Amino acid sequence: PHLPNLEELYLAANNLPDLPRLEAEEAYRAATGIVIELSNVVSGFLKLTVLDMSQCGLDDWSQVATFSQLPNMKELVLDGNLLHKITPPPSLITDAENSTSTSAVFFPSLQRLSVSSAQLADWSDIDALNQYTTLRMLRLSHIPLFSGKGASEVRPIVIA
């Protein structure tokens, strides 16, 4: 479905665990030689600025990456998903056939991200967010990494 004028999409509390995963797409490409471009998955939503996927059963950051090519997405809400890890965007994509490399720009306009009530338990997940250079606002709460710590303890560490 193409909804070219849609600016906000709220899918919260829908069971969507079958969203494509980057690893599955790579395995498919290796087995068949057919490349499925992520931009084809989300084409038709070029004006989308807000996407709320709270409580949708997502458990892998590569499912989130499915939406990384939305050029105007400014706000992404992922609260209440079972995400265990946040990975940095790939810095380089290599096209072996043409011997060329191009920078991958994941979430080129993302300014606000909320990942509360996820299963993040490692500081490397927070560090990975540093590579999303357009990010201006981050909401993290109720994650195992912060268990037993107050906001006054966690905030300065996350900001540093």
Side-chain angles (χ1 to χ4, degrees), residues 10-157:
Y10 298 91
L11 297 172
N14 282 287
N15 192 21
L16 303 171
D18 58 346
L19 279 175
R21 299 168 191 263
L22 289 180
E23 295 85 8
E25 301 302 328
E26 290 168 6
Y28 181 76
R29 177 180 51 211
T32 66
I34 299 171
V35 176
I36 298 175
E37 295 290 331
L38 287 177
S39 57
N40 292 340
V41 175
V42 295
S43 66
F45 295 98
L46 297 178
K47 291 186 180 180
L48 195 69
T49 59
V50 176
L51 178 59
D52 184 344
M53 304 231 10
S54 299
Q55 300 175 349
C56 284
L58 307 180
D59 62 3
D60 192 289
W61 190 255
S62 68
Q63 293 172 295
V64 176
T66 300
F67 302 98
S68 67
Q69 300 301 305
L70 289 170
N72 295 305
M73 186 167 56
K74 291 180 171 53
E75 181 173 358
L76 179 59
V77 183
L78 300 168
D79 298 342
N81 284 295
L82 300 174
L83 297 168
H84 292 274
K85 184 159 193 60
I86 295 175
T87 57
S91 57
L92 215 55
I93 293 178
T94 303
D95 180 355
E97 210 172 277
N98 297 321
S99 299
T100 59
S101 297
T102 55
S103 293
V105 180
F106 270 34
F107 301 109
S109 301
L110 188 64
Q111 295 177 7
R112 296 177 299 279
L113 175 65
S114 183
V115 192
S116 294
S117 299
Q119 300 302 310
L120 305 175
D122 195 287
W123 283 107
S124 65
D125 301 318
I126 309 308
D127 291 340
L129 292 170
N130 283 329
Q131 295 185 39
Y132 293 92
T133 57
T134 58
L135 198 57
R136 300 290 174 254
M137 193 281 299
L138 175 64
R139 182 171 183 261
L140 290 168
S141 64
H142 302 97
I143 61 173
L145 179 62
F146 300 160
S147 183
K149 296 177 180 74
S152 61
E153 294 174 85
V154 172
R155 190 169 193 269
I157 297 170

